[in-house]
Amino acid sequence: MYSLKLRCGSDEAETLSFQLWEAGTVAISESYEGAACELTAGFEDEESRASLLDQFAPYAPEWSEDRTNWEAVTRQAWPGCAVGKRLYLVPPWSEETTPEGRHRLIQNPGQASGTGEHPCTQLALQAIEASVFGGCKVLDVGTGSGILAIAAVKLGAAIAVGIDPDGSALQTASENLYLNGLTPLLAVGSADCITNTWSDVTVANISATVLLCITDDLLRVTAPVGVLILTGFPRSEAEALTEFLPQAELTLLGDWACLTAKLSSSASSLLA
């Protein structure tokens, strides 16, 4: 076995992890210190050493032979995780008992964005928990691993549709939905492929840059008295989005932010 060590900002860790999985890593460990993150990825052979060092050159890559038991590392790195008041995230191999009163969310870690570990995913899950009601329709824009759509259905939504421009992410989302005994409702695309006012609760865990480009569509697809949940950005970027959603509630986890807006018919008229 061999390992590749990278150093990056905590806001880059999730994207780099996804790139490492695509490059063929068998496992990843993460270590955080303030705003800095150290990623160590395990590889079975040295065939991709040169290309990996070139691809990740900006992140001070270090390649070394490694005797780490990466299967054990992976299992230890993903213990059960309680989120909010009613959710409990576990990997497929977990034998931990689900705490009383919580819904078990099975999540295969690493294969797409949204493993449940990132603060923005946890903020989104908490906002969904507070917003979903029995029989509602939920739209997860940029669904990634599908974890938010899974949580919505577990919490009582009648239907949760996940959309993502990345088809490979949808494959992972489909697998995770099946792990939870759910039928995938997924589509390649963004909010522009959804009909007006379809969603009672719309959630988008994407960068602020993308969110600013699709805010009109997010408002359009959300019911006039629905809920719009936006996350995926640090606190420093939240102000730009509150200009579109002045009534939104801001929640924080570390340096990361989430905006939850309970819309009214007047809020929807911002589209005019």
Side-chain angles (χ1 to χ4, degrees), residues 19-41:
Q19 292 173 358
L20 286 165
W21 285 113
E22 287 190 315
T25 184
V26 296
I28 299 174
S29 66
E30 303 176 5
S31 175
Y32 290 90
E33 184 175 344
C37 177
E38 186 174 272
L39 297 175
T40 305

Side-chain angles (χ1 to χ4, degrees), residues 98-269:
T98 305
E100 185 176 355
R102 289 185 177 269
H103 298 284
R104 191 178 190 87
L105 272 63
I106 303 172
Q107 176 75 8
N108 200 7
Q111 295 299 313
S113 300
T115 61
E117 293 294 305
H118 195 280
C120 288
T121 307
Q122 295 199 21
L123 286 166
L125 288 168
Q126 292 170 19
I128 288 170
E129 182 181 275
S131 304
V132 165
F133 56 90
C136 72
K137 295 184 291 186
V138 175
L139 177 64
D140 179 13
V141 181
T143 193
S145 67
I147 189 172
L148 303 183
I150 293 166
V153 175
K154 295 270 187 173
L155 290 165
I159 182 172
V161 173
I163 55 177
D164 199 296
D166 183 351
S168 62
L170 291 182
Q171 177 60 38
T172 300
S174 180
E175 293 170 2
N176 283 324
L177 282 152
Y178 279 125
L179 282 173
N180 286 273
L182 303 177
T183 301
L185 292 169
L186 304 167
V188 176
S190 189
D192 57 1
C193 67
I194 304 297
T195 192
N196 291 356
T197 69
W198 179 87
S199 176
D200 296 303
V201 179
T202 302
V203 57
N205 182 6
I206 319 174
S207 71
T209 301
V210 175
L211 288 171
L212 286 168
C213 292
I214 65 172
T215 300
D216 284 356
D217 268 328
L218 295 175
L219 287 166
R220 177 185 60 78
V221 301
T222 308
V225 291
V227 177
L228 179 57
I229 300 166
L230 305 181
T231 190
F233 47 88
R235 181 177 187 173
S236 59
E237 297 178 5
E239 185 176 351
L241 289 161
T242 56
E243 292 183 14
F244 293 90
L245 299 167
Q247 77 280 34
E249 175 187 359
L250 174 67
T251 53
L252 302 168
L253 186 55
D255 293 328
W256 297 93
C258 177
L259 293 170
T260 302
K262 295 181 179 179
L263 304 182
S264 63
S265 55
S266 59
S268 298
S269 69

